[in-house]
Amino acid sequence: MIWSEEARDGAIVAAPRGKIDESTAQDFGASLEGAVGRAADAAARLVIDCSGIDYMSSRGLRALTLAKRKADGSAVTIVLAAPNGVVREILAISRYDKLFGVTETVEAALTA
């Protein structure tokens, strides 16, 4: 998993790439927590560009849950943007599409 992020339009936009599974979930979670902290300091909105995520296991979903708890305590909104079909299905099956805002594009997440 590769992680990149930037400040954009009053938000932190994070762009993880690759598979988020048992071997990468810990790094994904640590990156998410750091991004939530930076969003709390600067923007209060964290957009996760999911377009580069090939797959997400239950460990990745757990990392999202922990990040959401931290974000809620810091008044940060997390929005998941541009998930591909596989990730969108994982979000729907796990009902995470009800816990997080999900948008078709990063641009839509920036204005949501």
Side-chain angles (χ1 to χ4, degrees):
M1 188 228 29
I2 299 168
W3 181 275
S4 64
E5 68 181 61
E6 65 177 338
R8 188 166 136 198
D9 296 332
I12 301 295
V13 178
R17 301 233 175 271
K19 289 184 179 182
I20 301 170
D21 56 17
E22 286 67 27
S23 65
T24 60
Q26 187 171 11
D27 289 339
F28 177 66
S31 296
L32 275 173
E33 286 202 28
V36 167
R38 286 183 289 282
D41 291 340
R45 178 176 297 265
L46 172 59
V47 176
I48 302 171
D49 178 355
C50 298
S51 64
I53 299 174
D54 301 322
Y55 171 77
M56 184 178 293
S57 73
S58 61
R59 302 265 321 263
L61 294 173
R62 182 177 187 279
L64 281 174
T65 299
L66 295 175
K68 182 165 180 20
R69 284 184 192 159
K70 182 175 180 176
D72 288 349
S74 301
V76 171
T77 301
I78 298 176
V79 181
L80 307 178
N84 65 26
V86 170
V87 174
R88 184 173 290 283
E89 185 174 349
I90 291 166
L91 294 172
I93 289 169
S94 63
R95 304 199 40 89
Y96 274 59
D97 60 347
K98 306 297 182 208
L99 294 175
F100 294 91
V102 180
T103 64
E104 293 296 320
T105 65
V106 171
E107 290 72 24
L110 291 169
T111 60

